[in-house]
Amino acid sequence: MRRIYICFPEGNYKVLTLSYDDGKITDRRLVDILNQNGIKGTFHLNSGYLGEKEGHSLPYITKEEAVSLYRGHEIASHTSTHPTMTRMPGEENIREILSDRRILEEISGYPVRGFSYPNGVHGQKLHGLLQNCGIVYGRTTRSTHRFDLPDDFYAWNPTCHHNDRLMEHLDQFLHTEYDQRLMLFYVWGHSYEFDRDENWDLIEEFARKAGGRDDIWYASNIEIYDYLKCAENLIYFADMQGVYNPGSNDVWLCVDGEIHRIKGGETHLF
């Protein structure tokens, strides 16, 4: 009997992603650190505040700067004005999401499908509302301290906040060799916290140690979602001697210890 395991790109079984909220000007330094080390992140923006300075502890990135700053990373929604959504009427939540999407899509040039919950609050009704608004995942603020894939993309729990034993988690992630399960290390936070806590050295050390490795896939949140959905949709032969990939993304499989690249739109025999 064949043993077939789904892998990440290039046959890896580890993926690293970062997720940062609000879009303050401190994102500049964070993006630079990530870019220097080949790490990808997702940046959840409040479009209603972009470019604002007055009344905030730090200014927000402008729309014009966001176009180039976040290139190579994912721009995702965080609502237009950061309300506590479970206390608001559904109609107002819809307006917050769709107005945010429209502006962020003008900036990014692609459909914005990712989301993080303002203040971390969410529930089943809100999950359904997000789905109806074209959002495919929602990130929470509930740390798991594990490297599991999400059971529910609308309640996508991260591994940890960057102030929560970050380097300890990284050491565990790097030194775990167990390729029978896929491992996702998901870090979240706000870039202005590095200014507030005076610990930019933490994320700099993390990026140097975590980046530039051949055994890790560096991906944005939406890339992970799209890849796993594509892998989920593979169609296998009844005798498991081959597989058809109906999607557009390539998918990697480990078949009896050998890595196979299943190209999008193609049938592949083992």
Side-chain angles (χ1 to χ4, degrees):
M1 179 180 295
R2 289 192 181 278
R3 179 75 69 190
I4 300 176
Y5 286 133
I6 296 167
C7 302
F8 289 129
E10 310 303 330
N12 290 323
Y13 63 94
K14 294 179 180 180
V15 61
L16 172 66
T17 193
L18 278 70
S19 178
Y20 278 77
D21 294 347
D22 295 358
K24 298 292 185 74
I25 58 172
T26 42
D27 279 359
R28 296 169 183 165
R29 184 170 176 179
L30 177 58
V31 169
D32 184 56
I33 293 169
L34 299 186
N35 290 344
Q36 287 180 37
N37 294 279
I39 297 174
K40 284 191 177 183
T42 294
F43 291 86
H44 301 273
L45 309 181
N46 301 121
S47 61
Y49 293 145
L50 291 177
E52 287 199 5
K53 299 178 180 179
E54 300 299 325
H56 304 286
S57 58
L58 282 171
Y60 286 81
I61 295 294
T62 65
K63 295 178 186 178
E64 294 74 20
E65 183 180 0
V67 174
S68 58
L69 177 64
Y70 300 112
R71 188 171 293 128
H73 303 274
E74 177 193 0
I75 289 177
S77 177
H78 196 40
T79 69
S80 180
T81 62
H82 207 285
T84 301
M85 301 180 77
T86 54
R87 298 184 62 188
M88 299 209 329
E91 294 84 351
E92 185 63 13
N93 282 328
I94 291 171
R95 187 198 64 78
E96 282 278 344
I97 297 165
L98 291 181
S99 62
D100 200 39
R101 280 195 62 195
R102 290 189 186 102
I103 294 175
L104 297 181
E105 287 171 356
E106 290 176 7
I107 293 169
S108 66
Y110 51 76
V112 168
R113 298 178 292 142
F115 192 82
S116 67
Y117 298 102
N119 304 316
V121 297
H122 64 100
Q124 287 297 324
K125 288 184 178 180
L126 189 51
H127 298 174
L129 187 148
L130 289 178
Q131 185 175 23
N132 290 334
C133 289
I135 299 294
V136 297
Y137 73 79
R139 194 217 74 221
T140 76
T141 58
R142 179 179 174 272
S143 296
T144 65
H145 307 290
R146 295 174 58 87
F147 307 112
D148 300 327
L149 301 180
D151 292 326
D152 180 355
F153 274 103
Y154 289 105
W156 193 347
N157 300 319
T159 302
C160 67
H161 183 278
H162 64 247
N163 280 337
D164 186 5
R165 295 180 286 151
L166 179 63
M167 299 308 295
E168 178 184 330
H169 287 109
L170 177 59
D171 285 341
Q172 182 183 355
F173 181 69
L174 295 180
H175 295 114
T176 298
E177 296 183 4
Y178 182 56
D179 61 3
Q180 293 190 53
R181 71 183 182 105
L182 296 175
M183 299 179 65
L184 164 62
F185 188 8
Y186 191 140
V187 180
W188 81 279
H190 306 84
S191 63
Y192 63 77
E193 293 169 324
F194 296 116
D195 260 14
R196 182 195 68 192
D197 301 333
E198 299 182 345
N199 64 346
W200 279 103
D201 59 318
L202 173 65
I203 195 64
E204 290 170 344
E205 180 188 2
F206 173 85
R208 284 193 301 268
K209 190 170 184 178
R213 298 175 61 98
D214 294 333
D215 60 342
I216 295 175
W217 178 36
Y218 303 98
S220 65
N221 293 186
I222 196 64
E223 287 175 325
I224 295 170
Y225 171 87
D226 284 340
Y227 185 86
L228 291 175
K229 288 299 179 182
C230 195
E232 185 180 297
N233 289 330
L234 293 176
I235 301 170
Y236 295 89
F237 284 47
D239 61 3
M240 305 305 288
Q241 297 301 310
V243 63
Y244 169 59
N245 181 358
S248 58
N249 293 336
D250 296 353
V251 176
W252 278 255
L253 298 176
C254 180
V255 182
D256 294 335
E258 290 188 357
I259 301 300
H260 293 251
R261 181 176 184 171
I262 319 302
K263 295 183 177 180
E266 293 189 4
T267 298
H268 182 94
L269 301 179
F270 303 135

